[in-house]
Amino acid sequence: MKPTVEEIGNLLALKRHERPEDGYFDGFVREFHQRLREEEARQQGLAGWWRKASAWFSDLGASKWAYGGGLAYATVVAVMMTAPRGAEEVSSPAPTPVSHEMKSVPPAAFEQLDALDLRPSTQGSTGEQEF
Amino acid sequence: MPDDSLQPDPDVDLVARARNGDTRAFDALIHKYGEKLYGLVYNMTSHKEDTHDLLQDIFAKAYHSLPRFRGQSSFYTWIYQIAVNMTLNFLKKRKRRGGLSLNELDASFQDDPALVDASHLANPEKQSKLHELQKRLNEAMLSLSEAHRTVVTMFDIQGIPHAEIARILKVSEGTVRSRLHYAHLHLQSKLQDYWE
């Protein structure tokens, strides 16, 4: 059998007796204030940091642009110096061993040197040109 | 519940003082409306710890939003709107993370004399099944859509008139009545096999 709408309503109305225990809202308010204090402290922390940063920056006056420019330049240089450079490297071929073997001169070559007349000559026998 | 169109807001002074940083004035507002809001949130969430956390969030939101409160509605209507919206948002999130286990339901009102009487009238031979009735009622409530559970909580449990519910939810009175009608049909069918 279906309950009537009135019966459903009466049953649901009993749920309005569901209340927190006595004194609940005293503790609730204490917790609420604790929460507000924590939120305020957190916001003051953030606000304080921001205030200090703003004050420092505004104290710099006209030189802030120089500081800013210098900082930006230093950042760019630092980035360039720390960037990977693998692409620029050229791989060199593996070194081949160099041979220093001494070759003996054949005796026939010495004989040919001996046969040459290496004495100084004044008669232009060496083919000097005369003017 | 005050009717905004007929009476001035009785909390004008407390609100003005709270807005100027008088935390005692806001404490008075918490004590004045905390229990009503607790009933709203608890009957929409069926969970005590969620209710407590949500209520803290609701009052914190109201406290921080006081400078933007224009007084176009009563403070109670305004904070009730905050409570309904925040609770509905919370329920959507809870649904996404897996819903509520019925084991977590609070059974604190099963010893309520009024419930004992009602159970006795409805079914004299089954008084021992009070807990079952409470569980079934909560199950039936949780099986309602959020919109339907909201109007049932406000109308049947908290006794707020249709017009005020319409104002809080920013819908027409017809919409409120229609939602109530379908919610009651749903609850009737859910409790049908228990009701002998």
Side-chain angles (χ1 to χ4, degrees), chain B residues 43-86:
Chain B
N43 283 301
M44 285 175 74
T45 61
S46 291
H47 196 275
K48 269 189 167 180
E49 286 176 17
D50 286 347
T51 301
H52 177 83
D53 294 344
L54 254 172
L55 218 51
Q56 286 280 343
D57 292 345
I58 289 162
F59 278 113
K61 170 89 174 171
Y63 184 78
H64 293 306
S65 303
L66 268 182
R68 294 193 294 279
F69 174 57
R70 302 279 172 225
Q72 289 166 337
S73 63
S74 69
F75 173 78
Y76 182 36
T77 300
W78 179 72
I79 198 170
Y80 213 96
Q81 282 170 337
I82 292 174
V84 168
N85 290 333
M86 288 182 73

Side-chain angles (χ1 to χ4, degrees), chain B:
Chain B
M1 180 132 221
D3 186 341
D4 293 354
S5 60
L6 299 176
Q7 321 171 6
D9 186 355
D11 303 315
V12 168
D13 182 47
L14 283 175
V15 169
R17 282 166 48 202
R19 193 185 280 169
N20 289 329
D22 182 348
T23 50
R24 285 178 186 275
F26 198 78
D27 293 350
L29 291 168
I30 292 177
H31 280 286
K32 187 171 181 182
Y33 296 121
E35 200 165 282
K36 277 270 186 188
L37 294 177
Y38 184 97
L40 169 81
V41 177
Y42 178 71
N43 283 301
M44 285 175 74
T45 61
S46 291
H47 196 275
K48 269 189 167 180
E49 286 176 17
D50 286 347
T51 301
H52 177 83
D53 294 344
L54 254 172
L55 218 51
Q56 286 280 343
D57 292 345
I58 289 162
F59 278 113
K61 170 89 174 171
Y63 184 78
H64 293 306
S65 303
L66 268 182
R68 294 193 294 279
F69 174 57
R70 302 279 172 225
Q72 289 166 337
S73 63
S74 69
F75 173 78
Y76 182 36
T77 300
W78 179 72
I79 198 170
Y80 213 96
Q81 282 170 337
I82 292 174
V84 168
N85 290 333
M86 288 182 73
T87 307
L88 288 174
N89 286 338
F90 169 81
L91 290 173
K92 279 178 193 146
K93 282 182 200 160
R94 191 170 74 177
K95 194 189 284 181
R96 277 203 294 275
R97 70 163 197 250
L100 175 72
S101 162
L102 282 172
N103 292 331
E104 295 176 69
L105 285 171
D106 176 63
S108 61
F109 91 131
Q110 63 180 308
D111 296 328
D112 190 298
L115 180 64
V116 174
D117 289 347
S119 175
H120 178 76
L121 289 172
N123 193 347
E125 64 273 16
K126 288 191 178 177
Q127 270 198 54
S128 61
K129 291 194 174 179
L130 272 176
H131 183 71
E132 176 66 14
L133 174 59
Q134 186 253 352
K135 189 181 168 195
R136 291 293 302 276
L137 185 58
N138 283 332
E139 276 178 343
M141 281 288 284
L142 285 173
S143 70
L144 290 170
S145 71
E146 283 149 11
H148 287 174
R149 197 184 322 150
T150 304
V151 290
V152 165
T153 300
M154 294 169 85
F155 181 78
D156 291 305
I157 300 178
Q158 300 208 288
I160 301 172
H162 294 107
E164 189 59 29
I165 296 174
R167 189 155 40 232
I168 290 168
L169 298 180
K170 295 179 180 170
V171 296
S172 69
E173 269 192 64
T175 301
V176 172
R177 289 176 193 277
S178 166
R179 286 180 187 175
L180 271 175
H181 174 70
Y182 286 107
H184 288 155
L185 287 180
H186 181 86
L187 290 175
Q188 279 179 305
S189 70
K190 279 282 174 184
L191 295 168
Q192 179 175 350
D193 56 335
Y194 188 83
W195 214 270
E196 294 172 7

